[in-house]
Amino acid sequence: MADMKAIQADTREKMTKAIESLENNLSVLRTGRANPGILKKIVVDYYGSSVPIDQVASISTPDARTLVITPWDRGALNPIEKAIRDSDLGLNPNNKGDTIFISLPMLTEERRRDLVKNAKNYAEDARIAVRNIRKHSLDEVKKVEGIGDDEIKRGEAEVQKITDEFVARVDQTFQKKEQEILG
């Protein structure tokens, strides 16, 4: 029976990682207010190395529609500005000499719908990941040696219960982000 417990624990751990990945992907989607998380995936060419923006600068939000990026090294100012400009976020950085200001425009209804569509795609990817983990776990349950059909059925039922729990978490996470975007 220890094998069943190990399979269930492994299933939970992998599904938790799928939820964390979903939350990470959703954090870069813009909502109606400034969020430093939207810059999370920007990589800056810093002295020949590709470095995440949060490792070369601090990012703050003085108000609901402004991001302020303060590099720790003034030599990083232009590479940061270029990385933001070249990103697919559609942001227009404003270099003030020692900091970069980004004014976030109001989201149009069409842009909000596009963001919700992106969030739905991320949620569907997470559901697929959870189902793939379930399939792998069910295969592992069937491979456990020395157990009867009843134990296999119980193990499969437990894996399905865990799967249902995590699919519900994916749905909750998506709905929360959808409300933020449409807010």
Side-chain angles (χ1 to χ4, degrees):
M1 212 54 188
D3 284 334
M4 288 295 187
K5 295 289 184 203
I7 291 170
Q8 292 168 9
D10 187 50
T11 302
R12 276 191 182 284
E13 183 181 328
K14 288 178 180 174
M15 288 184 181
T16 299
K17 288 180 182 170
I19 297 288
E20 289 169 357
S21 175
L22 170 65
E23 290 170 346
N24 189 29
N25 286 334
L26 291 178
S27 73
V28 299
L29 292 180
R30 231 183 101 202
T31 57
R33 40 185 328 127
N35 176 1
I38 66 171
L39 301 177
K40 196 184 291 187
K41 291 190 177 182
I42 291 184
V43 179
V44 178
D45 182 24
Y46 185 62
Y47 294 112
S49 297
S50 295
V51 182
I53 193 168
D54 60 356
Q55 291 184 12
V56 293
S58 66
I59 304 168
S60 60
T61 53
D63 61 50
R65 294 191 0 149
T66 307
L67 290 172
V68 177
I69 301 149
T70 308
W72 295 312
D73 172 13
R74 284 189 65 169
L77 201 63
N78 290 332
I80 290 172
E81 182 180 13
K82 181 180 181 337
I84 294 169
R85 207 176 294 285
D86 293 347
S87 73
D88 62 350
L89 296 174
L91 299 175
N92 191 17
N94 188 356
N95 187 336
K96 297 285 188 182
D98 58 350
T99 56
I100 296 173
F101 286 82
I102 300 174
S103 293
L104 300 171
M106 292 294 290
L107 290 174
T108 64
E109 194 59 37
E110 181 181 343
R111 181 68 180 136
R112 287 180 194 270
R113 282 195 299 272
D114 287 345
L115 291 171
V116 168
K117 191 187 312 181
N118 288 345
K120 274 183 188 169
N121 290 338
Y122 288 139
E124 185 56 31
D125 290 346
R127 282 188 209 95
I128 290 168
V130 166
R131 289 193 294 262
N132 287 339
I133 295 165
R134 176 192 64 192
K135 181 182 183 312
H136 175 76
S137 296
L138 291 175
D139 291 344
E140 292 297 312
V141 167
K142 291 174 185 168
K143 290 179 188 173
V144 174
E145 301 209 3
I147 62 169
D149 290 344
D150 289 344
E151 284 89 9
I152 289 175
K153 293 260 187 266
R154 270 197 291 277
E156 290 174 341
E158 189 60 34
V159 167
Q160 185 59 49
K161 193 168 109 181
I162 293 168
T163 302
D164 294 343
E165 172 190 331
F166 278 88
V167 167
R169 284 181 58 188
V170 167
D171 293 341
Q172 290 170 344
T173 304
F174 165 70
Q175 289 168 354
K176 181 179 168 196
K177 188 63 174 187
E178 182 181 35
Q179 288 172 348
E180 279 180 35
I181 292 169
L182 297 176

